[in-house]
Structures are given as C-alpha cells and as structure tokens.
Amino acid sequence: MKSSARPESLYLSELLSARQCPQVAKGLGVFAKCRLTKGLRLLDEPPVLNYATTLIAQRQIARKFQSWRPLEQLTFTRLYAGRNDSVPILRAMRLNELRYATITSRLKSIVGLNSIEKQGTGSFLAIACSFLNHSCVPNAWVYYNVDTRRVTLHALCDIAEGEEDFVCKCRACLSEDSDKQRVAMKDTRARIAANYKARDEDPVQWKEHDIYETLNLLRHLVTLLEEEGLYGLEMSHLLVEQRNLVAELGDEDSRSRKHSKALQLRLLCLGIDHWSTIQMARESRQLRQRRSARCTSPPSL
C-alpha cells in the first residue's frame, strides 16, 4: 500500500527553506540549505501586506487574501496563528481544515502575530520573512527598504548548512547577568538622550566636557552591545554619533575610523543598495581624499 507523501519543508528561496523546528512547540523555522557567508543577502521580497498600521492590515486581509494566487494563499495559511491553532503545519489539509484555515478571524490572527513594524513608517508582512523565529541576538537582519518597497534579510555572521536563522542561543535568555546588561543599556540610552536634549534646548551651554561625557556614554553602550553580541543598526547609529562628536573635537583620524566601522555594519544589515549605505560610502571616499590631501600637502613654514 502506498503511503501518502508528506512534504518536509516549504520552499522559500535557493538558500532557505521553512521546516519543523527540533523543538516542536516552536512550529516552523527558517533553515539554511547550504553554508551562508556573513553579509550575504538571503531574501529580497515584496511584502504582501503594507499598511500604515497592523490594525488596518487586519481589516483588509479578507479582501486581500482573495486577490492572491493559490500558492501564496496556501503558504500564508501555514504562518503562525496562535498556540491553539489546529491547522497542520506541512501536510496536505483535509477539506474541513482548509475551510478553517481561511476563515477571516484566523487570517486576522496571522496578520497580528506576523506583521513587523517598519522604521516609523507603518507595518508590513512578507511571507518568507514571517517564518523566521525570534532571537534576542539574531544571526540575520530583516529590514524594510522604503525606497525599493522590498524586505531584505542579510546574514550577520556565517551560518552553517541546516542551521536555523534567528535561532535563540543568546545570554539574554540564558543568564541573569544579561538582565543586568540590558538594564545598564537602558540606563545608558536614557543618559545619552538626556545629554542630547540638553544640547538641543540650550546649544550655547554645550561645552567640550559635555561632548566628552556623551562620547564616553556612547562608547560604553557600544561595549555593552558587543558583549551581548548585538551587532546591528543600533551599533551603526551609535558609531555615527561618535563620529560626529569626535569631528567636533577636531579628531579627523578617529572620525574616519568610526565612520568606517559604522559603514561596515550598515553594509552587513542593509546591503550595498540601501540609500544610507550609498551615502555613507560616498562620505567615506570624501574622508579618504581629505586625509590623503593632508598627508601629501607640504608642511607650513
């Protein structure tokens, strides 16, 4: 007697597939089909939902779902819909399961649980990226590019074949010491914000010692992030702030080093085609030219 074939994974791309996690309670996860190198773009997809808020997306999902192709509909119904969801993850659905899978309340649950807030510009849902499980220290970076209106995923480190993307092995989940680290980060962020607020309210009173104090706080926060393995856009932003402050102090060499490190992280998280990466690469060339001009100019008498 022939046994019915049961698919073991869902195709996401040439590099990634979605399949059952070893911990069954986690449901599906995204796994590497081959060795993935640091900085590699793993996914580049348009969002299927793109609205000002997740609530609006939930209101629109029933109408939107009907406009998708059957494969898109089927893949969407495999997304996480809650702890008590009874829809099978991979095997073919029975008729009653198929009917339940597409009822409006379940589609709304999928939207609510899988949508990602953009960088202050709304909410999106991209199907392949929605299979990624959460990690406090991810091994990949997901980002919505407002210029291209596409969602990208980049590897933050080398990922072995069969390894899960966004797998959670971080100290934040395993160590009490990390809780103290997170509290220290929050406190340092608040102190940095207070310093910048004071500068904005009274720029005349912003003195050199205030610059050094803020610079030390920025360096401390970068150190805390490094200790937790949190290499991402926040660290890039902090390095840009350090670059700006050392420029105020007239330290061009430090400015160039901070800019270079910030650019490397920007490339890692966003890729070479993001507008901020392009702008920073242009600024990097200008800094190198300025430095070269200083080195070759004759000494003043």
Side-chain angles (χ1 to χ4, degrees), residues 170-186:
C170 62
R171 287 169 47 196
C173 298
L174 303 175
S175 168
E176 292 183 4
D177 291 337
S178 189
D179 289 337
K180 298 174 185 175
Q181 290 277 85
R182 300 301 167 115
V183 171
M185 288 180 200
K186 185 177 179 180

Side-chain angles (χ1 to χ4, degrees), residues 162-230:
E163 183 179 347
E164 184 181 0
D165 287 49
F166 278 42
V167 66
C168 192
K169 294 180 180 176
C170 62
R171 287 169 47 196
C173 298
L174 303 175
S175 168
E176 292 183 4
D177 291 337
S178 189
D179 289 337
K180 298 174 185 175
Q181 290 277 85
R182 300 301 167 115
V183 171
M185 288 180 200
K186 185 177 179 180
D187 177 64
T188 307
R189 289 188 189 103
R191 292 173 65 188
I192 292 169
N195 280 14
Y196 278 126
K197 183 180 179 182
R199 182 191 66 176
D200 294 340
E201 290 176 349
D202 192 355
V204 178
Q205 296 300 318
W206 180 257
K207 304 297 183 183
E208 189 173 292
H209 68 85
D210 296 307
I211 296 176
Y212 277 112
E213 180 187 349
T214 307
L215 194 55
N216 286 332
L217 288 170
L218 289 165
R219 287 169 176 159
H220 179 56
L221 184 51
V222 167
T223 299
L224 291 173
L225 290 170
E226 287 175 337
E227 289 174 352
E228 289 293 283
L230 296 172

Side-chain angles (χ1 to χ4, degrees), residues 45-262:
E45 62 173 327
V48 293
L49 299 174
N50 190 2
Y51 291 97
T53 67
T54 300
L55 183 60
I56 294 175
Q58 288 178 309
R59 290 171 181 164
Q60 297 294 325
I61 184 57
R63 179 185 61 81
K64 192 76 174 175
F65 185 81
Q66 296 304 320
S67 69
W68 294 339
R69 295 171 303 196
L71 181 60
E72 288 178 318
Q73 292 180 340
L74 180 62
T75 309
F76 184 84
T77 61
R78 305 297 190 181
L79 293 176
Y80 181 69
R83 289 181 180 274
N84 298 319
D85 189 47
S86 59
V87 172
I89 292 175
L90 288 173
R91 70 165 171 79
M93 297 184 197
R94 301 185 183 93
L95 185 60
N96 64 322
E97 292 171 335
L98 186 59
R99 287 172 181 161
Y100 171 71
T102 57
I103 62 174
T104 301
S105 59
R106 184 174 183 275
L107 298 180
K108 285 183 177 181
S109 293
I110 291 175
V111 174
L113 293 167
N114 293 278
S115 292
I116 300 175
E117 295 297 317
K118 291 183 279 187
Q119 294 71 39
T121 58
S123 170
F124 73 87
L125 190 152
I127 290 182
C129 286
S130 295
F131 286 106
L132 292 160
N133 283 316
H134 165 76
S135 171
C136 295
V137 184
N139 56 7
W141 190 271
V142 65
Y143 188 84
Y144 176 76
N145 189 322
V146 293
D147 295 322
T148 62
R149 297 184 180 181
R150 295 181 71 86
V151 182
T152 57
L153 181 75
H154 289 86
L156 292 177
C157 58
D158 290 343
I159 300 173
E161 180 179 354
E163 183 179 347
E164 184 181 0
D165 287 49
F166 278 42
V167 66
C168 192
K169 294 180 180 176
C170 62
R171 287 169 47 196
C173 298
L174 303 175
S175 168
E176 292 183 4
D177 291 337
S178 189
D179 289 337
K180 298 174 185 175
Q181 290 277 85
R182 300 301 167 115
V183 171
M185 288 180 200
K186 185 177 179 180
D187 177 64
T188 307
R189 289 188 189 103
R191 292 173 65 188
I192 292 169
N195 280 14
Y196 278 126
K197 183 180 179 182
R199 182 191 66 176
D200 294 340
E201 290 176 349
D202 192 355
V204 178
Q205 296 300 318
W206 180 257
K207 304 297 183 183
E208 189 173 292
H209 68 85
D210 296 307
I211 296 176
Y212 277 112
E213 180 187 349
T214 307
L215 194 55
N216 286 332
L217 288 170
L218 289 165
R219 287 169 176 159
H220 179 56
L221 184 51
V222 167
T223 299
L224 291 173
L225 290 170
E226 287 175 337
E227 289 174 352
E228 289 293 283
L230 296 172
Y231 295 93
L233 279 185
E234 182 182 12
M235 190 179 293
S236 179
H237 292 317
L238 293 173
L239 289 165
V240 167
E241 290 301 325
Q242 289 184 42
R243 176 203 68 183
N244 295 340
L245 292 181
V246 296
E248 288 186 45
L249 296 172
D251 189 343
E252 289 297 319
D253 288 338
S254 291
R255 178 188 182 187
S256 182
R257 287 196 298 271
K258 300 295 183 187
H259 184 89
S260 178
K261 289 180 180 178

